[in-house]
Amino acid sequence: HLLLSFSWGILFSHPRDFTPVCTTELGRAAKLAPEFQKRNVKMIALSIDSVQDHLSWCKVGTLLGLAVTCMAGITSCKGEGGAEGRAGPAGQLDKHLLPSPDPAPRAQVFVFGPDKKLKLSILYPATTGRNFDEILRVVDSLQLTAYKKVATPVDWKPGDSVMVVPTLADEEAKQLFPKGVFTKDLPSGKKYLRYTPQP
């Protein structure tokens, strides 16, 4: 809570340090740090390994030309019960992580709002790299909903038209969205698909 203050936050869980997929993700997150900062989002990574391993991993990233220093918030969560003791009940273990034969936590993304409430979580197998373009798109969508009372339709991209949330009455929508509100014609004749240019 102290770290987030009044910011949005993203917590990335990593199965282990020095895994190839996670190393590419750290680099991508570091390169996109300015984009997250523009959106008032703070990032932190979580791994089950020791702090010593985290520091060594950052050095590897530096050798690869990855600016991982901004991801220095990697924290160890391994307790007496090991990875399974912490991650097992949450269904976060992945038996396919290489090279370890032991199950390791899956890669997960948690997005928190300034109210410290979870807004979204995405679970990836440890063998599949996260899509950071999608994570940024999701943050944009969540922030539009939080600040502008709109939702985003399927395959929405920033700049596309958005949808007026169902809880907003037509008259209020007209006042809030001066660029206009238009509805999509449906066979049922119902007018619940209300669109407006992205505010």
Side-chain angles (χ1 to χ4, degrees):
H1 287 190
L2 290 175
L3 173 74
L4 285 187
S5 185
F6 298 104
S7 301
W8 289 72
I10 297 183
L11 171 65
F12 298 100
S13 69
H14 288 282
R16 295 220 191 286
D17 296 352
F18 303 105
T19 57
V21 171
C22 292
T23 301
T24 64
E25 291 173 336
L26 280 181
R28 180 74 169 139
K31 286 179 182 174
L32 288 174
E35 289 298 320
F36 285 104
Q37 287 169 357
K38 273 192 234 174
R39 293 161 173 83
N40 192 29
V41 176
K42 292 180 179 174
M43 296 184 287
I44 189 166
L46 180 75
S47 173
I48 65 167
D49 292 319
S50 69
V51 172
Q52 175 100 23
D53 282 343
H54 302 334
L55 295 173
S56 297
W57 194 19
C58 285
K59 287 178 187 171
V60 169
T62 303
L63 289 172
L64 293 172
L66 306 176
V68 295
T69 50
C70 72
M71 295 291 289
I74 301 169
T75 311
S76 175
C77 71
K78 191 169 186 177
E80 290 178 33
E84 194 161 355
R86 288 297 190 110
Q92 288 209 347
L93 295 183
D94 192 339
K95 297 175 186 172
H96 301 100
L97 179 70
L98 300 175
S100 172
D102 299 324
R106 298 176 193 274
Q108 196 153 0
V109 179
F110 301 93
V111 179
F112 297 92
D115 58 1
K116 316 301 185 288
K117 292 184 180 175
L118 180 67
K119 305 300 180 186
L120 169 115
S121 68
I122 306 172
L123 179 64
Y124 289 82
T127 53
T128 301
R130 287 170 258 214
N131 184 327
F132 277 77
D133 293 331
E134 172 62 6
I135 293 168
L136 280 172
R137 187 189 80 92
V138 164
V139 168
D140 287 338
S141 173
L142 290 169
Q143 291 183 345
L144 277 171
T145 299
Y147 303 134
K148 302 294 184 180
K149 297 187 179 180
V150 296
T152 55
V154 64
D155 296 331
W156 171 85
K157 294 181 200 73
D160 290 352
S161 291
V162 294
M163 305 178 88
V164 179
V165 293
T167 54
L168 211 57
D170 286 338
E171 287 306 313
E172 192 178 354
K174 285 177 188 173
Q175 292 174 358
L176 277 177
F177 307 115
K179 293 180 183 175
V181 175
F182 58 95
T183 58
K184 189 158 186 121
D185 291 329
L186 299 171
S188 65
K190 294 185 177 180
K191 305 287 185 186
Y192 68 94
L193 292 182
R194 299 178 298 170
Y195 291 84
T196 189
Q198 180 179 322

